[in-house]
Amino acid sequence: MLLALKLILAHFIGDFVLQPAHWVEDKLEKKGRSKYLYFHVGVHLLALLIILQFQHIVPIIIIVATHFLIDLGKLSLTNPKNYRWLFILDQVLHLLVLAGVLYWISPFPLDFSTLFTEKTLLLITFLVFVTYVSGIVMRMLLAPYIDEVAKDDADTEGGSLKNAGTYIGMLERIFVFGFILMQQWAAIGLLIAAKSVFRFGDLNKGKNRKLTEYVLIGTLLSFGLAILSGMCYMYLAEQL
């Protein structure tokens, strides 16, 4: 565990803390010709050497070399459309390398059977429900009002980010579900109050009344489904 924390800390420091924005911009523009790519690799090498106290030199060289190759491949393939996905893939590959090096230095047991226990599958099932399934259920229940609200909303000032409502709903239901698992019911009230301040503050005009009612119904449904899911999960988990 200690070695794993050291490797991850060195990665975070090198890839995020000590990589200024202008380094990233220069690398995206010049690709492999950017001097900052090599500065970045050097920072990683220095961070690993210091945090690992100049031990495990060969694994450090492997980590730094693969980091360079992964970054170079990402820069060569990056364009405005795939930048986010390549960033995620880049981080996954870096972490896989760290895991491989960790297993090489200090082998640890890999027991995937724990992923298929009753409690784990129950938790995954409820997480899928509160994120995706609940959103679809809410859209079905609110379907009679969508067209009417959309027409009124088109006449109001401002706009909305694409799929923002979907992501907000997923996040709030995950938070509520987690608060129930931690028995923090007061935090749910705080979350509702915070959302009310930010979401309903601009919907108090007369012409926005339908939209306000629609959002209020959706919010109550979202919180209600999350609370019900949390309570059901707690009950079923106790029976296992």
Side-chain angles (χ1 to χ4, degrees):
M1 179 61 70
L2 179 60
L3 181 58
L5 291 174
K6 288 182 177 181
L7 291 174
I8 295 174
L9 177 60
H11 174 71
F12 284 167
I13 291 175
D15 233 21
F16 299 99
V17 179
L18 298 181
Q19 183 171 205
H22 70 274
W23 285 21
V24 178
E25 294 171 358
D26 190 81
K27 289 193 299 179
L28 289 173
E29 179 182 352
K30 298 179 181 179
K31 311 295 184 184
R33 296 179 291 105
S34 173
K35 63 181 180 181
Y36 295 115
L37 173 61
Y38 303 94
F39 289 177
H40 175 62
V41 173
V43 168
H44 262 285
L45 175 61
L46 186 60
L48 284 165
L49 287 173
I50 293 175
I51 293 177
L52 294 180
Q53 300 175 323
F54 292 87
Q55 298 177 349
H56 311 297
I57 299 300
V58 174
I60 287 176
I61 294 174
I62 293 174
I63 292 172
V64 173
T66 54
H67 194 101
F68 171 76
L69 294 174
I70 291 170
D71 277 14
L72 184 61
K74 182 189 73 171
L75 293 171
S76 302
L77 298 173
T78 295
N79 60 55
K81 294 182 178 180
N82 65 11
Y83 178 78
R84 291 182 302 166
W85 297 111
L86 282 179
F87 170 78
I88 296 173
L89 178 61
D90 169 77
Q91 294 301 314
V92 169
L93 290 176
H94 289 322
L95 293 177
L96 286 176
V97 169
L98 294 182
V101 169
L102 178 63
Y103 187 80
W104 176 36
I105 298 174
S106 179
F108 51 89
L110 296 173
D111 186 8
F112 295 103
S113 63
T114 56
L115 296 175
F116 300 99
T117 62
E118 291 179 330
K119 285 193 174 182
T120 302
L121 290 176
L122 181 66
L123 178 60
I124 294 173
T125 300
F126 273 91
L127 286 175
V128 172
F129 178 80
V130 298
T131 52
Y132 291 95
V133 179
S134 292
I136 296 174
V137 171
M138 288 174 57
R139 281 199 294 271
M140 297 298 294
L141 294 174
L142 295 173
Y145 312 109
I146 292 178
D147 292 338
E148 185 176 0
V149 172
K151 180 180 179 181
D152 289 349
D153 191 32
D155 298 330
T156 61
E157 296 181 359
S160 176
L161 296 175
K162 184 179 179 181
N163 296 325
T166 300
Y167 295 131
I168 291 172
M170 286 183 177
L171 289 172
E172 72 184 19
R173 289 191 295 273
I174 289 176
F175 281 133
V176 171
F177 185 76
F179 289 148
I180 292 176
L181 267 58
M182 294 184 292
Q183 295 295 301
Q184 296 295 324
W185 291 89
I188 299 176
L190 180 62
L191 185 61
I192 294 176
K195 183 177 180 182
S196 299
V197 171
F198 287 107
R199 190 65 179 91
F200 302 139
D202 58 341
L203 298 176
N204 54 7
K205 298 180 182 179
K207 65 180 180 180
N208 286 331
R209 181 173 179 179
K210 291 181 180 179
L211 180 59
T212 303
E213 293 172 343
Y214 174 82
V215 173
L216 180 59
I217 294 172
T219 298
L220 293 176
L221 276 174
S222 180
F223 277 84
L225 287 171
I227 292 172
L228 183 62
S229 298
M231 295 176 67
C232 288
Y233 171 79
M234 294 290 288
Y235 174 78
L236 293 174
E238 290 177 356
Q239 309 305 311
L240 296 178

